[in-house]
């Protein structure tokens, strides 16, 4: 690797599939074959007596870090791995296949650019395959790879590969959100088509998995439409000795979407106050413009009472505002969700109380259809609910904005995170006539 | 590639700044764990980027084992002063005197004794959050850590009951007596840390650079010879950590790759005397950073066990 590196991008991906599909083995293979493993890691592997017959290292033990996992041979929790090639840096979330750990897949996948869904070539498409593909689509992950693994165990037959591909392409149109979908025949155990091209698949003309990860176009994955800036922290030095610092009124946060420029007109919500961007302050100097996902400190023309949780938005495309919400959620708790229960709802930089007003329906993972009728959600159920918040929420639909369209629910008392929520688009946006032009 | 684009260091930086501001926004009494080591040096710069021009809204906290490299202590104190931050230091010795910590018979390392000392400091100052510089690429158990890692009222980590972390929505709620450990550098690698130090022109303690030092061989590592026992009226703080007659001394050109304290840090033989040299060395390295940490070599689950007990 050269010492002086030109700017390189980070690609975040997660792996999912059902138990024994070979997820951890695949990541171990990527690390091993891309020479990202260190001698003491290999030494630790050997020390833990995981040399299987034939002198093969058990690659899964690289990611199964906790004692219980090694004992049971399963992956309990999301494990994060890091490796780099001269082209890109990678953050890998190894997410478990056990149905009871679907919440961890949501965790690992929510920040990913790309999902790898593993399919065992012998078993073909099973409920977990549908569930994981569906979750990746629901989370709005732009890029999907279907890695058909253990091809060596089906004699590298192209017909088998095509059969599985056809079956997945049958239900993909229902999940019409992926920017690209790639099918790759691999053997994670032996390394075929993972880093090195397999000699067993002359019929396959696509890239190896690593080549695809290195080259898939991710520059446009960040949302540069509609400016949204949730205020995280009010930056007021209150320094009496320095006049510049004494008057400094900054609003610190991370741009959730869009671009902002000095001199631009913006609205502060939910107060509905219009003002102008006076300065985009950073530790490294003022900026003329800033974009998602930069962290900056914004100074406004007018001294308005603004606190954590308020949102500064561009005027060209306004968000919705309301306290009656509809959302798709993934339920993550062993205590069921029921209508009438109260939770804390965290959205952007604010937390407010919310009550579940309605349980509309649950997704049937076989058909991927929404079925009405359940009175409660159990752990790992995905469905649609109605919510009412104690104060109006400023939000966008999840499909147009991943960060201002998402929320989590927190159980009161235990403080457990019990749901990941994706909001449906608002029925109407904030209306200009409600805007207070007073200042 | 559009101009509205962040390279990997800018991406890691904005993610970390967002997390530090969440801490300031969500917690009443946070602290930042600052040892003077390279990871926490990055944390300091990130806290400046997150909170300037205001004062840093949290004090620095360091737990000393009593076996620190003097260069590290000097650096730590100077940086805290330069940044105008309040520095709180608590020691393993105090924890032993107060009866919070009991050294195991025959155990020389004070690494584990930092746990009760840290928990004691958290209780003393009623901290509800401690920001640390741990990274997931350091170790297998750390790879499973969340950004916001919940600790119960005993300071314990329960890896099987971690709160799911979705998008950038961190659940920071704790009940009285409980606390959170927050790790803004979770997604950083050793290489990222050095590249960031280079990019930001950050000063680091001189022991990271090549220098001459008297060492002895123990457990497959070069251990630095501790400073002489000056005060004969007190017990030798380095008892057991001094070279035995069977461990001959050797003058070597070495540096540290990772810093624990003097008795659990293996020195590596290296001519690297600039950040650029170190970056070159890291990219060519064939063992992990923690491969030079005696405290992790105890068993395959050494880190997992310490973290469950309240280690950071």
């Amino acid at each position: 690797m050269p010492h002086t590196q030109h700017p390189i991008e980070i690609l975040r991906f997660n792996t999912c599939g059902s138990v024994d599909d070979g997820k951890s083995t695949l990541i171990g293979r990527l690390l091993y074959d891309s020479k990202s493993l260190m001698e003491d890691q290999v030494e630790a592997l050997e020390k833990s007596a995981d040399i299987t017959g034939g002198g093969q290292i058990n690659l899964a033990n690289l990611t199964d870090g906790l004692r219980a996992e090694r004992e049971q041979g399963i992956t309990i929790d999301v494990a994060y791995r890091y490796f780099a090639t001269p082209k890109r840096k990678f953050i890998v979330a190894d997410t478990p296949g056990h149905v009871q750990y679907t919440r961890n897949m949501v965790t690992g996948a929510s920040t990913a650019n790309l999902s790898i869904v593993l399919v065992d070539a012998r078993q073909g498409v099973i409920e977990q395959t549908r569930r994981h593909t569906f979750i990746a689509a629901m989370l709005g992950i732009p890029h999907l790879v279907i890695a058909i693994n253990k091809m060596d165990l089906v004699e590298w037959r192209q017909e088998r590969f095509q059969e599985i591909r056809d079956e997945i392409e049958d239900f993909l149109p229902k999940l019409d959100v992926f920017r690209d979908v790639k099918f790759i025949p691999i053997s994670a155990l032996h390394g075929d088509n993972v880093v090195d091209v397999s000699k067993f698949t002359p019929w396959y003309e696509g890239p190896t998995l690593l080549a695809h990860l290195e080259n898939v176009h991710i520059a446009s994955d960040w949302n540069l439409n509609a400016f949204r800036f949730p205020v995280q922290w009010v930056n007021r030095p209150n320094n009496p000795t320095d006049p510049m610092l004494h008057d400094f009124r900054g609003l610190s946060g991370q741009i959730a979407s869009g671009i902002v420029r000095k001199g631009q007109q913006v609205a502060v919500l939910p107060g509905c106050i219009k003002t102008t961007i006076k300065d985009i302050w950073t530790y490294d100097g003022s900026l003329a413009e800033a974009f998602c996902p930069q962290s900056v400190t914004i100074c406004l023309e007018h001294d308005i009472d603004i606190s954590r949780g308020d949102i500064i938005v561009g005027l060209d495309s306004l968000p919705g505002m309301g306290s009656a919400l509809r959302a798709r959620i993934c339920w993550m708790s062993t205590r069921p969700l029921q209508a009438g229960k109260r939770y804390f709802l965290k959205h952007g930089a604010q937390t407010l109380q919310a009550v579940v007003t309605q349980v509309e329906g649950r997704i049937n993972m076989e058909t991927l259809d929404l079925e009405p009728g359940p009175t409660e959600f159990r752990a790992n159920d995905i469905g649609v609910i109605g919510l009412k918040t104690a104060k109006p929420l400023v939000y966008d639909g999840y499909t147009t904005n991943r960060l201002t369209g998402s929320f989590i629910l927190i159980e009161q008392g235990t403080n457990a995170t019990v749901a990941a929520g994706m909001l449906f688009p608002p029925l109407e946006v904030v209306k200009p006539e409600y805007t207070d032009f007073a200042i | 590639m559009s101009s509205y684009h962040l390279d990997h260091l800018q991406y890691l930086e904005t993610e970390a700044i967002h997390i530090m501001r969440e801490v300031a926004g969500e917690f009443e009494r946070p602290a930042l764990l600052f040892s003077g080591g390279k990871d926490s040096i990055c944390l300091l710069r990130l806290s400046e980027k997150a909170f300037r021009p205001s004062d840093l809204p949290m004090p620095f906290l360091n737990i000393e084992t009593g076996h620190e490299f003097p260069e590290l202590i000097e650096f730590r104190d100077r940086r805290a002063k330069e940044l105008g931050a309040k520095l709180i230091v608590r020691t393993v010795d105090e924890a032993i005197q107060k009866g919070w910590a009991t050294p195991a018979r025959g155990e020389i390392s004070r690494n584990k004794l930092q746990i009760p000392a840290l928990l004691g400091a958290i209780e003393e100052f009623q901290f509800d959050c401690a920001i640390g510089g741990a990274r997931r690429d350091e170790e297998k158990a750390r790879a499973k850590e969340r950004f916001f890692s919940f600790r119960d009222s005993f300071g314990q980590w329960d890896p099987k009951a971690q709160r799911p972390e979705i998008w950038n929505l961190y659940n920071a709620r704790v009940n009285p007596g409980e606390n959170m450990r927050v790790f803004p550098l979770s997604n950083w690698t050793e290489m990222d840390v050095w590249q960031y130090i280079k990019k930001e022109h950050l000063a680091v303690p001189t022991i990271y650079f090549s220098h001459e030092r008297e060492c002895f061989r123990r457990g497959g590592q070069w251990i630095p010879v501790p400073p002489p026992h000056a005060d004969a009226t007190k017990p030798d703080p380095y008892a057991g950590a001094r070279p035995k007659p069977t461990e001959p001394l050797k003058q070597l050109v070495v540096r540290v790759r990772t810093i624990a304290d003097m008795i659990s840090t293996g020195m590596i033989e290296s001519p690297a005397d600039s950040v650029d040299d170190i970056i070159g060395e890291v990219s060519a390295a064939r063992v992990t950073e923690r491969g030079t940490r005696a405290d992790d070599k105890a068993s395959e689950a050494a880190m997992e066990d310490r973290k469950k007990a309240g280690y950071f």
Side-chain angles (χ1 to χ4, degrees):
Chain A
M1 207 184 292
H3 295 185
T4 47
Q5 290 178 334
H6 53 88
I8 56 174
E9 298 169 303
I10 287 185
L11 174 88
R12 303 186 63 143
F13 69 91
N14 76 304
T15 53
C16 35
S18 61
V19 187
D20 296 332
D21 276 349
K23 296 172 300 297
S24 299
T25 308
L26 177 67
I27 292 176
R29 175 58 67 184
L30 278 169
L31 296 172
Y32 197 74
D33 285 1
S34 65
K35 316 257 182 305
S36 306
L37 277 185
M38 301 292 181
E39 281 166 10
D40 56 325
Q41 290 174 311
V42 175
E43 189 193 320
L45 274 182
E46 290 168 358
K47 202 157 129 194
S48 60
D50 282 311
I51 306 287
T52 54
Q56 267 177 344
I57 289 174
N58 184 348
L59 293 163
N61 268 48
L62 285 169
T63 55
D64 295 345
L66 302 173
R67 192 177 271 158
E69 294 173 302
R70 289 194 296 276
E71 285 163 6
Q72 297 168 36
I74 54 160
T75 308
I76 291 177
D77 207 319
V78 187
Y80 292 91
R81 294 290 145 188
Y82 303 83
F83 70 101
T85 68
K87 285 194 170 170
R88 266 186 188 159
K89 295 188 75 109
F90 299 96
I91 301 178
V92 193
D94 181 16
T95 46
H98 281 263
V99 64
Q100 67 267 37
Y101 295 119
T102 292
R103 64 176 209 162
N104 289 324
M105 170 183 167
V106 172
T107 299
S110 67
T111 51
N113 305 84
L114 180 146
S115 273
I116 299 174
V117 174
L118 273 134
V119 180
D120 184 329
R122 295 166 305 173
Q123 295 195 9
V125 176
I126 56 172
E127 184 188 327
Q128 287 288 309
T129 314
R130 275 195 200 87
R131 178 184 283 266
H132 292 146
T133 310
F134 178 81
I135 292 172
M138 178 179 75
L139 290 167
I141 295 169
H143 315 280
L144 180 70
V145 171
I146 307 283
I148 300 175
N149 191 23
K150 307 195 183 182
M151 282 297 295
D152 52 315
L153 301 180
V154 295
E155 291 82 43
W156 295 100
R157 279 184 293 117
Q158 184 182 7
E159 305 76 55
R160 183 59 184 146
F161 175 78
Q162 195 57 45
E163 246 170 55
I164 294 169
R165 182 178 175 146
D166 290 345
E167 198 176 339
I168 289 173
E169 283 182 334
D170 266 354
F171 68 81
L172 272 181
K174 282 194 181 183
L175 314 170
D176 185 25
V177 297
F178 299 110
R179 212 169 286 159
D180 51 74
V181 180
K182 188 73 88 186
F183 293 84
I184 306 179
I186 64 166
S187 164
L189 189 61
H190 302 293
D192 295 81
N193 287 336
V194 177
V195 172
D196 301 315
V197 175
S198 172
K199 60 177 189 280
F200 300 111
T201 51
W203 44 267
Y204 172 71
E205 289 176 348
T208 64
L209 179 61
L210 184 66
H212 182 60
L213 296 175
E214 285 185 323
N215 294 307
V216 61
H217 180 77
I218 55 168
S220 50
D221 285 2
W222 287 103
N223 182 352
L224 294 176
N225 302 317
F227 174 63
R228 303 282 184 265
F229 184 79
V231 175
Q232 278 187 282
W233 192 69
V234 179
N235 198 327
R236 296 198 167 185
N238 280 328
N239 184 328
T241 57
D242 181 336
M244 178 308 233
L245 289 182
H246 188 257
D247 292 337
F248 190 91
R249 302 275 185 275
L251 304 160
S252 297
Q254 184 176 28
I255 299 172
S257 62
I259 301 165
V260 63
R261 296 182 179 87
K262 211 183 272 194
Q264 181 183 337
Q265 282 229 314
V266 292
V268 182
L269 300 174
C272 289
I273 298 166
K274 261 194 193 174
T275 181
T276 306
I277 303 283
K278 187 167 81 180
D279 191 17
I280 304 167
W281 195 94
T282 75
Y283 180 82
D284 301 299
S286 285
L287 304 174
E289 65 175 5
F291 55 92
C292 167
Q294 284 183 308
S295 287
V296 296
T297 295
I298 285 177
C299 302
L300 300 172
E301 280 301 341
H302 304 99
D303 188 15
I304 307 164
D305 179 27
I306 297 176
S307 47
R308 174 172 160 86
D310 288 351
I311 300 186
I312 303 174
V313 305
L315 298 181
D316 49 342
S317 164
L318 292 163
M321 189 161 90
S323 51
L325 310 170
R326 233 180 123 232
R328 191 182 256 173
I329 64 162
C330 173
W331 190 248
M332 299 175 157
S333 169
T334 48
R335 286 178 293 278
L337 167 122
Q338 287 157 337
K341 270 200 185 175
R342 271 168 195 280
Y343 298 94
F344 292 116
L345 181 149
K346 182 166 183 182
H347 170 267
Q350 74 172 329
T351 304
L352 26 84
Q353 294 216 52
V355 61
V356 177
T357 50
Q358 200 193 351
V359 178
E360 276 188 36
R362 186 168 51 202
I363 301 286
N364 176 326
M365 279 299 154
E366 274 298 317
T367 61
L368 303 181
D369 292 325
L370 185 72
E371 292 177 348
T375 53
E376 59 176 39
F377 287 172
R378 306 245 164 131
N380 301 299
D381 278 348
I382 291 169
V384 175
I385 62 167
L387 285 159
K388 188 166 171 47
T389 50
K391 283 189 291 184
L393 195 74
V394 176
Y395 68 100
D396 294 288
Y398 184 80
T399 48
T400 55
N401 198 318
R402 261 166 108 170
L403 294 184
T404 54
S406 55
F407 64 86
I408 56 172
L409 292 181
I410 299 166
E411 189 173 58
Q412 302 193 349
T414 64
N415 291 328
T417 302
V418 290
M422 288 138 279
L423 290 158
F424 285 98
L427 295 177
E428 51 186 332
V429 299
V430 177
K431 287 216 177 71
E433 56 260 39
Y434 297 152
T435 305
D436 176 5
F437 294 94
I439 291 181
Chain B
M1 216 174 281
S2 77
S3 58
Y4 300 116
H5 181 74
L6 301 183
D7 69 27
H8 76 282
L9 286 182
Q10 291 168 324
Y11 170 81
L12 293 171
E13 181 186 70
T14 186
E15 177 183 71
I17 292 173
H18 173 258
I19 285 162
M20 296 193 101
R21 287 172 173 167
E22 279 300 282
V23 168
E26 292 264 10
F27 292 96
E28 298 285 326
R29 297 175 71 86
L32 190 152
L33 300 171
F34 178 53
S35 64
K38 65 184 190 311
D39 304 306
S40 58
I41 287 168
C42 291
L43 280 185
L44 256 51
R45 174 49 52 90
L46 291 163
S47 70
E48 290 182 276
K49 294 207 177 193
F51 304 121
R52 293 299 188 213
S54 289
D55 291 339
L56 305 184
M58 55 194 77
F60 298 165
L61 173 64
N62 185 220
I63 306 297
E64 289 184 0
T65 64
H67 297 150
E68 274 70 22
F69 287 93
E71 295 93 332
L72 202 68
I73 300 284
E74 184 272 327
F75 181 89
R76 178 197 71 189
D77 295 353
R78 180 162 50 83
R79 280 305 283 153
K81 207 169 161 191
E82 283 166 1
L83 294 179
K86 181 182 158 83
L87 173 67
I88 298 167
V89 176
R90 289 294 177 266
T91 67
V92 166
D93 277 329
E94 288 167 356
I96 292 172
Q97 276 164 25
K98 287 180 177 158
W100 300 340
T102 315
R105 194 182 299 264
E107 183 158 45
I108 305 161
S109 166
R110 295 184 133 190
N111 191 295
K112 272 191 210 150
L113 298 174
Q114 281 182 297
I115 299 170
L118 173 65
L119 298 180
I122 286 173
E123 196 165 314
E124 178 184 352
F125 294 94
Q126 298 288 300
F127 291 130
D128 50 6
C129 174
I131 296 178
R135 311 188 321 267
R136 287 177 184 147
D137 85 322
E138 283 180 82
E139 206 278 333
K140 289 212 288 192
R142 288 233 199 271
K144 312 240 154 171
E145 185 79 83
R146 302 288 198 254
F147 281 101
F148 282 60
S149 181
F150 174 76
R151 304 302 162 100
D152 65 17
S153 55
F154 292 92
Q156 298 180 108
W157 181 59
D158 181 356
K160 284 195 190 181
Q162 296 199 80
R163 295 176 179 177
E165 262 174 12
I166 311 127
W167 302 291
N168 62 351
L169 295 171
Y170 304 106
N171 175 356
R173 299 188 78 87
V174 292
N175 289 321
E178 301 168 343
N179 68 80
M180 199 70 84
R181 307 289 167 81
V182 175
F183 304 108
L185 306 183
S186 289
N187 279 332
W188 296 45
T189 63
E190 184 185 14
M191 177 63 104
D192 298 326
V193 165
W194 282 109
Q195 287 179 337
Y196 194 69
I197 286 169
K198 176 182 157 83
K199 182 184 170 196
E200 295 290 323
H201 308 288
L202 299 176
V204 298
T206 51
I207 47 174
Y208 279 112
F209 300 117
S210 175
H211 58 281
E212 276 202 22
R213 188 181 284 269
E214 203 167 39
C215 299
F216 64 95
R217 196 81 179 154
R218 183 178 286 178
Q221 310 211 43
W222 288 113
I223 305 293
V225 174
H229 182 40
D231 186 354
T233 62
K234 288 182 185 162
D236 179 6
Y238 289 96
R242 297 191 180 280
K244 297 173 194 146
T246 51
E247 296 168 323
L249 307 184
K250 200 166 177 191
Q251 192 75 13
L252 294 170
V253 175
V254 292
R255 66 178 200 87
V256 295
R257 186 167 169 196
T258 177
I259 305 177
D261 61 9
M262 264 186 134
I263 67 175
S264 23
T265 301
M267 312 295 289
I268 57 169
E269 292 190 78
S270 161
D273 60 2
S274 69
V275 172
D276 276 329
D277 284 354
I278 291 174
I279 288 173
E281 216 174 78
V282 170
S283 68
R286 292 307 304 153
V287 296
T288 63
E289 180 184 348
R290 293 193 83 94
T292 58
R293 290 279 283 258
D295 42 346
D296 288 344
K297 289 236 162 173
S299 82
E300 240 220 308
M303 175 68 88
E304 184 180 344
D305 293 341
R306 270 179 293 153
K307 284 177 67 65
K308 280 181 181 163
Y311 193 66
F312 48 87

